[in-house]
Amino acid sequence: MPKITYIAFDGEETTVTAKEGMSVMQTAVNNGVDGIVAECGGACSCATCHVFVDPEWFDKLPEAQTMEKEMLDFVMNPQPSSRLSCQIKLTPELDGLIVRTPESQY
């Protein structure tokens, strides 16, 4: 089962074990990780699950689809590594994934 490390804007780290096939967003919600608001519940319609993917991991993710790219236009302070965590599905290859949560979601 893949592990994910969430790093808050203040540097606090939370590492959780996830079920394969779950999203990074749902795993955060299920484990009480702060900084993933997830107002739309994973429907890719609110951008409140915005994360910055660690550069080491960014190129290992599938490319963002059109809807996700459009929603990323609405996040505060987007970065080249910005993704919506509801759109990142966990696979064994993503074991060790590191994402950072933006200050704007606290």
Side-chain angles (χ1 to χ4, degrees):
M1 295 202 323
K3 290 188 179 182
I4 308 167
T5 298
Y6 300 86
I7 303 175
F9 74 96
D10 64 2
E12 182 179 339
E13 294 186 19
T14 304
T15 300
V16 299
T17 302
K19 289 184 180 178
E20 188 176 333
M22 296 287 289
S23 70
V24 171
M25 180 275 302
Q26 190 62 53
T27 300
V29 170
N30 290 351
N31 289 280
V33 176
D34 288 334
I36 304 287
V37 181
E39 288 178 355
C40 73
C44 196
S45 63
C46 71
T48 60
C49 67
H50 173 221
V51 294
F52 305 115
V53 177
D54 188 85
E56 174 185 335
W57 290 95
F58 190 79
D59 289 335
K60 296 177 184 179
L61 300 177
E63 184 177 345
Q65 298 297 309
T66 302
M67 186 176 214
E68 179 182 1
K69 289 177 182 178
E70 289 172 357
M71 290 308 304
L72 287 169
D73 288 339
F74 298 100
V75 302
M76 294 181 70
N77 303 313
Q79 303 294 316
S81 65
S82 288
R83 291 294 301 265
L84 298 183
S85 61
C86 68
Q87 299 301 297
I88 303 171
K89 301 296 182 210
L90 295 163
T91 64
E93 295 77 27
L94 294 180
D95 183 30
L97 178 66
I98 300 168
V99 298
R100 290 172 172 74
T101 53
E103 184 174 7
S104 61
Q105 290 174 187
Y106 285 83

